[in-house]
Amino acid sequence: MSTESPNWDHCGYGTTPDDPIGCPGIQAPPFTACLAHLTAPQQNQHLATLEPGSDCDYRGTSFTNDLLTQLKNCLAETGPSGVCRYRFGVANFSHTSFDEDADLSHSEFGAGSSFEGARFGRRTNFHETSFSGEAIFAKALFGPAISFEAAIFDGEAHFDEAEFDDAAQFHNASFSRGAVFRATKFGEAAWFEEATFRGRAWFTGATFENDATFARSTFGDKAFFFEAKFGDQCSFERATFGNEPTFSEVIFGKAATFEGATFGNKATFIQATFGDDTTFEGATFGNEANFGDAMFGASFYLDKAVFGDKASFHDATFEGALHLAGTVFLGDISFMAARMAGADFIGPILSKGAIDLGQAIFEVPVTIYAAARRVDCWRTRWRQTASLGLRYAEIDLTESVCEFPLTVAASPTQFLVDLSTPFDETPLLSGLAPGAPEREPTVYVDSISGIDATYLVLNGVDMSECLINGAIHLDQMRLTGDYRLATSPNGLRYTKRDVLAEEQHWRARNGYHGWTSPAGWDGDPLTPATIAPLYRQLRKGMEDSKDEPGAADFYYGEMEMRRKDRTRPLGERTLLNLYWALSGHGLRATRALAWFALTVAATLFIMTGWGIAKTDPKPETTRQVVNGKVVYVTDNPDPVNPTDGQRFTSKRFEKSLRVVINSVVFRSSGQNLTTTGTYVEMVSRLTEPILLGFAALAIRGRVKR
């Protein structure tokens, strides 16, 4: 019983003190009662004024099946094909009650027809009905079953706040302009299978308490599902979305299926909630797909989906598994700050842009396979064991938190989508600039700065431009496989060795020839005092793993930074410079042997020219009278240098060679030497064994097990 008088001349039948309004039906001209309360002759007289295409205004009127049939018969028209259709002009059934079955199938309604606030008691059928202009069903209440199957809406269709108590059938319906279902309530199944929305589709705030099916539907323009709620199962399988479909704050109760769906420009699922398994397998997204802050309560399937320029799962929560086998991202993909509570295997995926895992939290052991341009793991938290198998990717591990072992490895072979199908990497490789060098399928580590490297394992990666300053426990980091570091410049000035990016920066900024900073570096270079400990920790890690040869270059880099550190005392730097010059910090055998050979040559030259006496001195005995007695005294005369023409002879060279070998190897020459030769021998006995020792030390450092 209504307490408000309608804003039209109404019937008023059945007025009582308790119901001062009575029947709200509009008066049927030329009478003062509504069509339902006219006598039979009056109804016939009124209906006789109607013909196909007539406008009909029956606001607030209650229709029985018989009365609706009489009305339809007045508007019936048989077309050229022999099919009977019921052609309404502008039909106004606002707040009308259809107390029994309402069969309006095969009808045609003119522009502006309205069923606003209408009540449909039992079965309602709009099968193959067409609406040439705007059709309004706002706040309508539909009873046990409603069918708009194959209905055609040429104008906007308004179902705002309408309620469908039973299944709503819009199978194969066509909405030429806007379809508005704001705050509409679907009590049972809602069938929009193969429906076509050429204009905007508004399902903002709609509630689907049971199954909702949009399979193979086509959304030509924007589709808005903002704050919609889906109950049991939702299917958009192979649906096609046009410009900007929006599912913001949607709640999907149980299973949601978007398998094979095609989305146009933008697809928005911000703050959407998926209660059960959700599948977008084989779906195609246009320019942008945004699942920011979405909640996935169970498994999420994106296998073999294709995303456009941007895909975002920022702040999303994955309580179940995340299936991305064969998924292709033609641009960037962001999982920034996402929470992976159940995602234990991700991939293989391909991204032509960056994969952003920054600040994401992985709560279970996870394996990730990806071929991408870049992987960002800034402040990513790995709460369990994690393994990243990558190809072609630059990776940034700055300030990542590893609570268990984290392995980053370059995969030498293509990933498999299934047991036998290789993942096609053509989309990634085809984006290279013309003339660019062929990209290697390795992993380029950009930074591990700020990371606790206790559990970090890098296998077969390229660290030529990797920044490590700020990382702790570098001595416990493991470098395995065919890893690569930057090397010193070519040329005689520098010994070929592995170097850190930090040393490259420092030398380039300080004018050392041939050294360049890695691409994109614009920060201040570190000082030798801060670079030396980095080398020291890496050296210790290699030594602890029994890789003495692998530790050699790190030791060399440490010593170089100590030698270049002007904060150290002059005496220490002088000693280090001497150590470097003589033997390359005990690591360059050729340098020590070269100095040894030079020293031996110099010793031979001096010995031959000035160290060996002209002849071996013979003892001379003289008779002397001491205290009246004759005494015979034997003296050894001092060795005498030869004349200039007799200095450099083969005999003297051979004797000098014996002197040098005996003094260096056997520590005693047993020869009579001149004063010069004696001092030269003393110096050679000190220096030459040291140089031999440096050479032996260098060789041992390269071959030690």
Side-chain angles (χ1 to χ4, degrees):
M1 179 182 65
S2 175
T3 59
E4 295 184 6
S5 178
N7 58 0
W8 57 78
D9 294 332
H10 64 285
C11 173
Y13 179 83
T15 301
T16 65
D18 294 332
D19 183 9
I21 303 301
C23 175
I26 192 171
Q27 296 175 358
F31 307 104
T32 58
C34 68
L35 182 61
H37 292 115
L38 295 177
T39 63
Q42 291 174 332
Q43 287 180 349
N44 293 333
Q45 183 179 346
H46 170 78
L47 294 174
T49 64
L50 301 178
E51 61 182 9
S54 295
D55 293 342
C56 301
D57 186 354
Y58 296 106
R59 286 172 285 179
T61 303
S62 295
F63 277 88
T64 62
N65 285 348
D66 290 341
L67 185 58
L68 182 60
T69 299
Q70 293 181 56
L71 175 63
K72 288 165 51 181
N73 289 337
C74 296
L75 303 171
E77 182 179 65
T78 302
S81 61
V83 177
C84 179
R85 295 187 64 83
Y86 308 101
R87 187 159 62 89
F88 293 79
V90 178
N92 194 339
F93 288 92
S94 299
H95 302 282
T96 297
S97 297
F98 296 89
D99 298 329
E100 299 175 357
D101 293 348
D103 186 0
L104 290 167
S105 60
H106 305 286
S107 299
E108 298 178 6
F109 290 88
S113 296
S114 174
F115 288 82
E116 182 178 1
R119 291 178 177 270
F120 298 86
R122 294 195 302 191
R123 297 181 59 85
T124 306
N125 192 354
F126 284 85
H127 179 70
E128 294 188 7
T129 297
S130 64
F131 298 84
S132 61
E134 185 179 48
I136 301 175
F137 288 83
K139 297 183 180 180
L141 179 61
F142 297 90
I146 175 68
S147 174
F148 285 86
E149 183 174 355
I152 299 175
F153 299 85
D154 289 331
E156 288 194 348
H158 292 267
F159 289 83
D160 310 63
E161 299 184 42
E163 295 186 17
F164 295 84
D165 288 342
D166 207 337
Q169 175 64 268
F170 287 85
H171 175 73
N172 206 29
S174 176
F175 300 86
S176 297
R177 298 186 65 186
V180 184
F181 289 84
R182 292 190 186 96
T184 302
K185 180 181 178 181
F186 297 88
E188 292 295 335
W191 299 89
F192 288 85
E193 189 172 5
E194 296 184 3
T196 301
F197 301 85
R198 292 188 175 88
R200 296 186 178 184
W202 300 82
F203 287 85
T204 304
T207 301
F208 299 85
E209 295 186 352
N210 210 308
D211 294 353
T213 301
F214 290 82
R216 297 183 296 282
S217 294
T218 300
F219 296 84
D221 199 354
K222 298 182 179 181
F224 296 94
F225 287 80
F226 182 75
E227 291 186 342
K229 296 181 180 180
F230 290 86
D232 197 357
Q233 296 192 31
C234 168
S235 174
F236 286 79
E237 182 175 350
R238 303 192 183 281
T240 300
F241 295 85
N243 192 17
E244 296 183 10
T246 300
F247 293 80
S248 299
E249 298 187 31
V250 172
I251 299 176
F252 298 88
K254 291 187 178 180
T257 301
F258 290 81
E259 184 174 352
T262 301
F263 297 86
N265 185 27
K266 293 182 180 180
T268 304
F269 290 82
I270 296 176
Q271 294 185 350
T273 300
F274 299 87
D276 209 334
D277 290 353
T278 305
T279 177
F280 284 80
E281 289 188 57
T284 301
F285 295 84
N287 183 43
E288 183 176 341
N290 194 338
F291 288 81
D293 207 19
M295 165 66 78
F296 299 92
S299 296
F300 182 40
Y301 295 85
L302 270 174
D303 304 274
K304 298 182 181 179
V306 178
F307 288 81
D309 291 341
K310 294 181 180 179
S312 176
F313 291 85
H314 189 287
D315 282 317
T317 299
F318 299 88
E319 296 288 349
L322 175 57
H323 299 269
L324 292 170
T327 303
V328 175
F329 300 91
L330 299 178
D332 297 336
I333 168 67
S334 174
F335 289 95
M336 186 174 183
R339 176 173 165 265
M340 306 290 185
D344 58 354
F345 188 91
I346 299 176
I349 62 177
L350 181 143
S351 173
K352 291 185 66 174
I355 301 175
D356 188 357
L357 299 176
Q359 301 184 67
I361 300 175
F362 290 85
E363 298 184 352
V364 295
V366 62
T367 299
I368 300 175
Y369 289 152
R373 293 288 175 85
R374 183 173 180 82
V375 178
D376 289 314
C377 297
W378 177 71
R379 291 188 177 179
T380 304
R381 181 177 291 274
W382 313 89
R383 290 182 171 172
Q384 296 290 336
T385 302
S387 176
L388 277 65
L390 306 176
R391 287 172 61 80
Y392 303 101
E394 298 178 12
I395 184 169
D396 185 352
L397 293 168
T398 301
E399 297 183 15
S400 286
V401 179
C402 313
E403 300 180 20
F404 285 84
L406 169 63
T407 301
V408 178
S411 179
T413 58
Q414 285 183 260
F415 301 120
L416 297 179
V417 178
D418 49 41
L419 294 178
S420 59
T421 306
F423 197 178
D424 182 14
E425 298 174 343
T426 303
L428 175 60
L429 302 179
S430 62
L432 295 177
E438 184 177 349
R439 194 176 181 91
E440 295 184 25
T442 189
V443 178
Y444 305 86
V445 183
D446 286 347
S447 172
I448 58 172
S449 179
I451 193 173
D452 184 344
T454 301
Y455 297 109
L456 182 61
V457 180
L458 301 178
N459 181 23
V461 301
D462 187 319
M463 298 184 65
S464 57
E465 297 185 6
C466 178
L467 300 177
I468 67 174
N469 182 54
I472 62 174
H473 297 147
L474 285 171
D475 57 318
Q476 299 184 49
M477 181 178 69
R478 293 293 175 262
L479 293 174
T480 61
D482 184 22
Y483 68 90
R484 283 179 284 177
L485 292 168
T487 56
S488 55
N490 294 323
L492 297 176
R493 183 176 180 182
Y494 300 108
T495 302
K496 200 70 173 179
R497 63 183 175 90
D498 290 339
V499 297
L500 297 181
E502 283 81 357
E503 183 178 352
Q504 294 185 76
H505 302 162
W506 178 79
R507 288 186 181 271
R509 292 293 180 91
N510 285 273
Y512 285 83
H513 178 72
W515 296 81
T516 57
S517 293
W521 171 258
D522 57 0
D524 294 329
L526 302 177
T527 63
T530 54
I531 299 174
L534 303 179
Y535 276 116
R536 186 179 305 118
Q537 291 185 68
L538 293 173
R539 171 182 61 82
K540 183 179 182 299
M542 287 295 186
E543 292 172 347
D544 290 345
S545 62
K546 307 303 180 184
D547 186 3
E548 293 284 350
D553 281 357
F554 292 138
Y555 174 73
Y556 194 102
E558 176 191 352
M559 297 300 290
E560 278 292 274
M561 293 298 97
R562 289 177 59 190
R563 186 171 70 90
K564 298 293 185 180
D565 184 6
R566 294 188 177 276
T567 63
R568 292 182 177 273
L570 179 60
E572 180 181 347
R573 286 189 285 121
T574 302
L575 182 61
L576 290 173
N577 277 302
L578 183 61
Y579 190 32
W580 165 79
L582 292 177
S583 65
H585 306 298
L587 292 172
R588 301 297 181 256
T590 53
R591 188 179 305 181
L593 289 174
W595 278 109
F596 174 75
L598 183 63
T599 304
V600 169
T603 303
L604 282 172
F605 178 78
I606 296 173
M607 282 292 186
T608 303
W610 295 274
I612 302 297
K614 181 179 180 180
T615 59
D616 291 334
K618 298 179 180 180
E620 295 181 355
T621 303
T622 58
R623 189 175 67 175
Q624 299 180 6
V625 179
V626 180
N627 296 327
K629 295 181 179 181
V630 177
V631 179
Y632 292 91
V633 179
T634 301
D635 290 328
N636 288 320
D638 292 333
V640 179
N641 283 326
T643 59
D644 291 342
Q646 299 174 337
R647 290 182 185 275
F648 299 99
T649 64
S650 60
K651 183 177 181 181
R652 289 178 60 80
F653 176 78
E654 189 273 336
K655 184 179 288 189
S656 297
L657 184 59
R658 290 203 310 267
V659 170
V660 172
I661 294 175
N662 282 322
S663 63
V664 174
V665 179
F666 301 105
R667 312 299 293 160
S668 177
S669 65
Q671 299 289 332
N672 291 315
L673 304 175
T674 64
T675 302
T676 300
T678 300
Y679 282 106
V680 169
E681 182 191 33
M682 292 169 60
V683 173
S684 67
R685 288 174 63 183
L686 174 65
T687 58
E688 291 167 6
I690 292 176
L691 294 173
L692 278 177
F694 284 159
L697 180 64
I699 294 173
R700 180 179 180 273
R702 292 297 182 181
V703 300
K704 183 180 179 182
R705 295 180 59 185

